[in-house]
Amino acid sequence: MFALTPLEIEALSLSLLVSGWAVAGSLPLGLACAWLLARGRFPGKTLLDGVIHLPLVLPPVVVGYGLLVLLGRRGPVGAWLYDWFGITIAFTWKGAAVASAVVAFPLMVRAIRLSLEGVDRGLEQAARTLGCGPVRTFLTVTLPLMAPGLLAGVILAFARSLSEFGATITFVSNIPGETRTLPIALYALTQAPGGDDAAFRLCVISVVVAFAALLASEVLARRMQARLKG
Amino acid sequence: MLELSLKRRQGQFLVDTQLMAGPGVTALFGPSGSGKSSVIAMVAGLSRPDSGRIVVDGRVLFDSEAGIDVAPEGRRLGVVFQEARLFPHLSVAANLDFGRNRTPAAQRTIDRDAVIEVLGIGHLLDRRPANLSGGEKQRVAIGRALLTSPRILLMDEPLAALDTNRKAELLPFIATLSRRFNIPVLYVSHAMDEVLRLADTLVLMQQGRAVAVGPVEDLLARPDLRALTGRADAGAAIRAVVAGHEPDYGITRLSFGGGALVAAGMDLAVGTEVRVRIHARDISIALTAPQRISVRNVLPVVVRSVEAADNHSCDVMLDCGGVVLWAQITAFAQLQLKLVPGMRAFALLKAVTVTREDISDHSN
């Protein structure tokens, strides 16, 4: 039987926690950005588009270092957070979640934006003439119609968060039980003598988790599409 | 009652329309790009006029001077689009109830069951829009709009996306709506056969302007509007009353301003007021009264005008006891007859060419 060792359980549950928070925390902002990019008309839209996509093309280490400078205990944002709320981001699991969220953000926004662009505005107009205000129209028509794309964006961002390494290790380092997620634990094992077997087991776990996420998204997306198509 | 005065510039195109629409069906008719749909969009609140005023039933929905612009959801107008625009994630029943649920119970004047029955969509309620035919979708869309108990129903070429059969299937439904639910309809179309079948009042649109407004029969009788009313399906529309039936011969007698008319038999009660469409191509002209002829309708007329329509045919305007009829004859025929205004002649019309399709019920 494939029993997990305490180290594996710790790394796996930490990875799920970090990725879950990364996605949940960035979803509202991702939705807002996707809305702005798909529907907004304002100066600097191209710039916003570029900034959102930056983490996709930058070396993750740059992202991690940038976060460290910004959110570190003595960084402009980090110091403010600590002084006012007593929150420390750097070198905690929260920091790992932030790093994952930033790196996965472009993927999430991209998928949501595409799904939003696929929604027929004629249906929204119809909802308006049937007595729905803009907010209710969004909740009852736009959101259900973009659900498959929204789900795809969430799963994609979740999977990307699970595999996040570069920015995480730069920003929050490798702290057992706090920031030692699956990829970081795996990296540490490959660097230690005699860690090959344990590393291989972590590889398998990573593959299984990632595959399960993709499979779940595929099944859910199909079900949603079927609902839309009747 | 609908009272419009709208101005809106869209690129090079200027919509500048004033019109009043009363009860019954008012048709906005004109070629594509004449601004018909823009008018509907502005009334519905989906696009904003640069200036003007929109008043429905005494309620001001838009007034650029007073700074009034009611949001579309507050206007209480039913809109039926060219594409049905049903919500694909909802069942037919949920689509029907979508607007109804947003309408306060006290304002629901239109009965759900009655709408479902009239539109014949009872068996579709559990289905999804994706599984409906084009005609079924459009019927559900009409029902959905009606169930908001709107002050006026706006229909933007609801039949344009359907094939001929589906059109024929849907026309009778639309024809009964306005009277059955006592709701004024503003109907946009570029097909004269729909207008003749449905409309009480006709608004001719050209390049963003309402060129002429009036009863359908009157506008079709005006030679100066011939270019707009369209020669292609040219003809006249006349008011008539069902005078009697002769079931043995399968014919129906109609009486109109110019006398009596024998038509193909049809299931309309004696006394019903109808509009009869008489195609220009079905009318022949004789200079002397023909005798021993199979044609049942020989109407004495006076030639009012003869215009060359193209190289090969002429439009002849005939006056039959004050009622205008149009005849389309070949240039070759005109060469022999030499028709001139003021000439007395006879219009020949076969009974079988006037069928149920050409007749719409307009009794109030």
Side-chain angles (χ1 to χ4, degrees), chain A residues 122 125 128 136 140 228-229, chain B residues 73 85 88-89 102 130-131:
Chain A
Q125 288 187 337
R128 295 295 298 275
R136 188 177 286 271
T140 55
L228 289 187
K229 296 226 173 77
Chain B
E73 60 270 25
R85 299 199 188 179
H89 58 298
R102 311 291 330 133
N131 299 330

Side-chain angles (χ1 to χ4, degrees), chain A residues 120-137 139-145 224-230, chain B residues 44 46 71-74 76-79 81 83-90 95 98-100 102-103 128-131 144-145 148:
Chain A
D120 181 0
R121 312 245 359 218
L123 294 175
E124 295 175 349
Q125 288 187 337
R128 295 295 298 275
T129 66
L130 290 166
C132 287
V135 174
R136 188 177 286 271
T137 298
L139 293 177
T140 55
V141 175
T142 317
L143 206 54
L145 290 178
M224 283 186 187
Q225 286 294 353
R227 260 202 67 177
L228 289 187
K229 296 226 173 77
Chain B
L46 298 174
E73 60 270 25
R76 291 203 55 218
L77 311 174
V79 186
F81 302 91
E83 337 76 60
R85 299 199 188 179
L86 298 180
F87 303 119
H89 58 298
L90 301 176
N95 266 284
F98 192 91
R100 188 169 184 266
R102 311 291 330 133
T103 310
R128 293 263 172 187
N131 299 330
R144 183 177 69 173
T148 61

Side-chain angles (χ1 to χ4, degrees), chain A residues 186 189-203:
Chain A
L186 179 54
L189 282 174
T190 60
Q191 298 303 303
D196 287 354
D197 289 352
F200 181 73
R201 286 171 60 94
L202 278 185
C203 277

Side-chain angles (χ1 to χ4, degrees), chain B residues 292-309:
Chain B
R292 304 177 61 142
I293 183 170
S294 72
V295 175
R296 290 296 87 195
N297 297 297
V298 178
L299 307 163
V301 295
V302 178
V303 176
R304 283 275 171 253
S305 70
V306 183
E307 302 268 345

Side-chain angles (χ1 to χ4, degrees), chain B residues 25-350:
Chain B
V25 179
T26 303
L28 292 183
F29 177 82
S32 334
S34 56
K36 312 179 297 279
S37 295
S38 307
V39 170
I40 290 272
M42 284 188 266
V43 177
L46 298 174
S47 85
R48 200 172 185 279
D50 296 334
S51 66
R53 221 169 116 82
I54 300 171
V55 185
V56 174
D57 272 356
R59 181 167 170 239
V60 181
L61 299 181
F62 181 85
D63 188 332
S64 53
E65 275 172 30
I68 298 171
D69 185 6
V70 178
E73 60 270 25
R75 296 196 175 195
R76 291 203 55 218
L77 311 174
V79 186
V80 177
F81 302 91
Q82 185 174 331
E83 337 76 60
R85 299 199 188 179
L86 298 180
F87 303 119
H89 58 298
L90 301 176
S91 68
V92 166
N95 266 284
L96 287 173
D97 291 333
F98 192 91
R100 188 169 184 266
N101 290 341
R102 311 291 330 133
T103 310
Q107 291 174 8
R108 288 181 201 159
T109 52
I110 292 183
D111 183 50
R112 188 176 187 271
D113 295 337
V115 167
I116 290 173
E117 192 214 309
V118 167
L119 292 172
I121 48 180
H123 61 295
L124 304 174
L125 294 179
D126 296 329
R127 304 256 285 271
R128 293 263 172 187
N131 299 330
L132 304 181
S133 72
E136 288 170 338
K137 276 184 196 164
Q138 207 53 288
R139 274 189 275 161
V140 174
I142 291 169
R144 183 177 69 173
L146 272 177
L147 285 176
T148 61
S149 304
R151 291 188 169 85
I152 184 170
L153 192 60
L154 310 172
M155 305 184 93
D156 189 2
E157 308 217 23
L159 303 180
L162 304 178
D163 60 43
T164 319
N165 290 337
R166 301 269 174 240
K167 235 181 236 186
E169 167 196 317
L170 214 60
L171 260 172
F173 287 116
I174 298 177
T176 54
L177 283 183
S178 180
R179 251 173 302 147
R180 177 74 171 75
F181 297 105
N182 191 23
I183 180 173
V185 174
L186 189 61
Y187 189 95
V188 163
S189 179
H190 66 261
M192 188 44 91
D193 56 331
E194 291 171 24
V195 172
L196 286 174
R197 214 34 216 285
L198 303 173
D200 301 301
T201 308
L202 176 59
V203 179
L204 290 174
M205 296 282 298
Q206 188 183 33
Q207 290 172 345
R209 289 175 172 275
V211 183
V213 184
V216 177
E217 293 85 354
D218 297 0
L219 295 197
L220 276 168
R222 276 172 56 181
D224 58 317
L225 298 174
R226 215 60 191 145
L228 287 174
T229 50
R231 275 203 72 251
D233 34 22
I238 63 173
R239 288 251 169 205
V241 177
V242 177
H245 298 287
E246 288 182 30
D248 290 351
Y249 300 109
I251 59 170
T252 293
R253 291 185 185 281
L254 305 167
S255 75
F256 73 110
L261 209 56
V262 177
M266 53 197 71
D267 55 345
L268 285 168
V270 172
T272 309
E273 285 179 39
V274 292
R275 171 185 298 144
V276 185
R277 182 184 189 192
I278 298 178
H279 298 267
R281 59 164 190 270
D282 290 338
I283 290 195
S284 317
I285 298 174
L287 292 182
T288 54
Q291 285 164 358
R292 304 177 61 142
I293 183 170
S294 72
V295 175
R296 290 296 87 195
N297 297 297
V298 178
L299 307 163
V301 295
V302 178
V303 176
R304 283 275 171 253
S305 70
V306 183
E307 302 268 345
D310 53 47
N311 287 336
H312 308 296
S313 64
C314 298
D315 282 344
V316 184
M317 181 184 176
L318 304 167
D319 182 330
C320 179
V323 176
V324 170
L325 297 176
W326 291 88
Q328 195 175 14
I329 62 171
T330 59
F332 187 50
Q334 166 64 359
L335 193 69
Q336 291 196 333
L337 294 181
K338 297 190 176 56
L339 298 173
V340 290
M343 222 171 181
R344 292 186 176 279
F346 295 89
L348 313 185
L349 178 67
K350 292 174 69 139

